Amino acid sequence: MAAASLSASAATGSLSGLRDSYGRTIHDLRVSITDRCNYKCVYCRTGELGAQYPELGIDEYLRLIKLFVGLGITKVRLTGGEPLLRRGIVDLVRELAALRTPTGDGLDLALTTNGHLLDGLAQSLKDAGLDRVTVSMDAVDPAVFERITRIDGSFAAVLAGVRAARTAGLTPLKINCVLLRGFNDDQIEGFARFAREEQVVVRFIEFMPLEEGRLWSPEIVVPLKEIVERINRMMPLVELPAREPSETARRYTFSDGVGEIGIIAPVTQAFCGACSRVRLTSDGKIRTCLFSQVEHDLYGRMRAGANDDELRAYILRTVQGKEARHHIGEPGFLKPSRSMVHIGG
Ligand code: SAM
C-alpha cells in the first residue's frame, strides 16, 4: 500500500478511535515489559519454567506504545511477568506520562504487580507519573500466601508494598485475588475485612484456563454468585453502578458504605461484548484476546524496517480482526499457546 493511503487509514483510526469489526472501541492497551517473574504462584506457573520469551528495549516499547496512543489508546497498563523486575521501568513511566492522546489528554497509566518490590519503588513511580497500581494477592493469611507464591517472606514484602503505594497516592489501590476452590476460597471473608481495614478495593477474579500446567476445571472456579453470598452472610453488600460499559468488575460496597469489593467473572459472566482491550507481549506481539490462537508480530515488522505509517496500518488491521469472544468451558475450547504470565495479565 502506498505511504499516502497508509497515512490516511492511520489517521482514520485516530479520528474515530481504534475499533474492531464488531464495533467495539479499543482504548485499553496492556503491555508486558518482561517475561521474568520472581514468584512461582502455584496456580499460574509450574515452578520449573523460567522466562520463555525475550524482552524489548525500553525505547522499543515506547515507540510501539506511542503508535497505539496515536490511534486512540487512552489507557496503558504495564504488566509482566513481573514488571517491577524490569530495569528502566521508572524512565518508561516518565516517558509514557508525557504522551498525549490525539485529543490532547494524558494517558491513564496503571501497573499490575505482585507487589514484592513495590515498597522501594512506589514513590518513584508516582513521581514519574504513574496513576494507579493493582497488586495481586491471593491470600491474607501469611502462611497461605507463601504456600501460593512459594517465596519466603513474600506476605510481609507485599503488605509493605501495598501500604507504600497507598501512601504515595497510587490510588484507588486495587488488590486482585484469583480464587480456586479448596485452595484459597477460605480467604474470602478475610479479604472483605482487608478491604475495609487497608482502604483498598479487593477484586476477586474467577480462575481462567491460562495456567502453565493443567489445573483448570469448571469445578475449581468459584463463581461470582457464591462469592457475593458468602460476603453477604458476613455483612450485607450493596451493588454499585458501573462507571463505564467496558468495566470488567461488578462493584459492591458494604451496607455502611466502608470498603469496596469487585468481582471479575470472565468465566460465569463473560464480558467480551464490552471488551476494550488489546495486549502487547514482552516480545512485541499483539494479542487481541487472552485466548487468541494467533499472535501478530508487530515488533518483527518494526525490526524489518517498517515505518510508523506501516506499523499503524498493521495495528489497525490486527485490531479489526479481534475475536468476538472467548470459548471457555465450551466443547472444543483450545488453550492458547501462552499462559497468563507469558501473555501479560
Ligand atoms: N506479576 C504481576 C502480578 O502478579 O500481578 C503481573 C502478571 S500476573 C500473570 C497478572 C495477574 O494474572 C495476577 O493477578 C494473577 O493472579 C493473574 N492470573 C494468573 N493466572 C491466572 C488465571 N489462570 N486466571 C485468572 N487470573 C490469573
Side-chain angles (χ1 to χ4, degrees):
M1 207 189 291
S5 63
L6 280 168
S7 292
S9 63
T12 311
S14 69
L15 289 177
S16 59
L18 202 47
R19 277 179 191 276
D20 70 11
S21 63
Y22 298 95
R24 293 172 295 196
T25 302
I26 307 302
H27 52 74
D28 181 348
L29 175 69
R30 306 199 165 198
V31 186
S32 171
I33 57 171
T34 179
D35 200 46
R36 291 171 287 136
C37 190
N38 46 354
Y39 280 8
K40 292 182 279 190
C41 299
V42 290
Y43 65 89
C44 182
R45 303 182 54 205
T46 60
E48 287 145 27
L49 301 172
Q52 302 288 295
Y53 299 91
E55 46 195 54
L56 310 187
I58 290 291
D59 54 331
E60 293 174 317
Y61 288 123
L62 190 60
R63 177 170 170 205
L64 296 179
I65 295 169
K66 270 186 190 164
L67 295 171
F68 279 95
V69 172
L71 290 171
I73 288 292
T74 56
K75 176 173 168 187
V76 173
R77 177 174 293 276
L78 300 178
T79 181
E82 171 46 43
L84 297 188
L85 289 176
R86 182 58 203 262
R87 193 185 292 240
I89 185 174
V90 176
D91 296 332
L92 177 60
V93 166
R94 192 174 299 110
E95 296 280 353
L96 293 176
L99 293 186
R100 291 293 169 265
T101 66
T103 52
D105 299 309
L107 291 175
D108 179 8
L109 210 48
L111 170 85
T112 295
T113 171
N114 61 30
H116 194 80
L117 300 171
L118 194 54
D119 188 17
L121 278 166
Q123 192 61 56
S124 316
L125 288 166
K126 178 69 184 177
D127 294 345
L130 187 70
D131 294 311
R132 296 174 289 112
V133 292
T134 298
V135 180
S136 306
M137 278 181 81
D138 301 309
V140 283
D141 178 292
V144 177
F145 188 86
E146 288 173 22
R147 267 206 306 278
I148 294 173
T149 61
R150 295 189 269 191
I151 299 293
D152 290 343
S154 52
F155 185 79
V158 173
L159 188 58
V162 166
R163 291 177 175 165
R166 204 182 48 214
T167 305
L170 290 165
T171 51
L173 184 53
K174 292 178 186 158
I175 304 291
N176 278 359
C177 166
V178 177
L179 285 174
L180 282 77
R181 188 177 306 288
F183 180 80
N184 66 343
D185 56 335
D186 61 345
Q187 301 290 300
I188 293 177
E189 290 81 0
F191 265 117
R193 282 190 289 275
F194 188 83
R196 293 162 63 80
E197 286 162 14
E198 295 288 334
Q199 299 140 48
V200 293
V201 179
V202 170
R203 304 190 314 169
F204 297 105
I205 302 177
E206 289 176 349
F207 182 47
M208 293 179 277
L210 283 170
E211 72 283 27
E212 269 180 1
R214 287 186 174 272
L215 192 65
W216 194 88
S217 71
E219 294 72 37
I220 207 167
V221 176
V222 185
L224 177 143
K225 193 167 167 284
E226 184 178 329
I227 301 169
V228 173
E229 279 168 9
R230 289 233 338 234
I231 301 182
N232 251 327
R233 256 180 258 141
M234 190 185 128
M235 192 171 190
L237 284 173
V238 180
E239 188 159 358
L240 293 167
R243 280 166 302 201
E244 49 175 294
S246 61
E247 195 161 66
T248 50
R250 297 272 281 268
R251 299 161 55 235
Y252 302 84
T253 186
F254 293 91
S255 49
D256 63 0
V258 178
E260 185 178 323
I261 297 288
I263 304 178
I264 304 179
V267 179
T268 65
Q269 303 201 12
F271 38 80
C272 306
C275 183
S276 58
R277 281 169 289 280
V278 286
R279 289 178 160 80
L280 192 62
T281 61
S282 67
D283 55 341
K285 308 251 167 69
I286 303 173
R287 292 186 64 96
T288 48
C289 173
L290 272 176
F291 297 92
S292 291
Q293 294 297 320
V294 283
E295 297 180 339
H296 307 272
D297 192 3
L298 183 62
Y299 179 66
R301 280 165 176 77
M302 182 178 128
R303 276 297 295 270
N307 65 30
D308 284 357
D309 279 342
E310 288 163 340
L311 295 175
R312 274 193 284 268
Y314 182 68
I315 294 172
L316 284 171
R317 277 203 306 279
T318 302
V319 169
Q320 270 283 312
K322 181 173 162 67
E323 297 81 343
R325 62 186 185 91
H326 69 63
H327 298 274
I328 301 175
E330 296 174 18
F333 168 79
L334 281 177
K335 240 174 126 171
S337 58
R338 295 194 197 213
S339 62
M340 189 68 139
V341 67
H342 304 297
I343 292 172

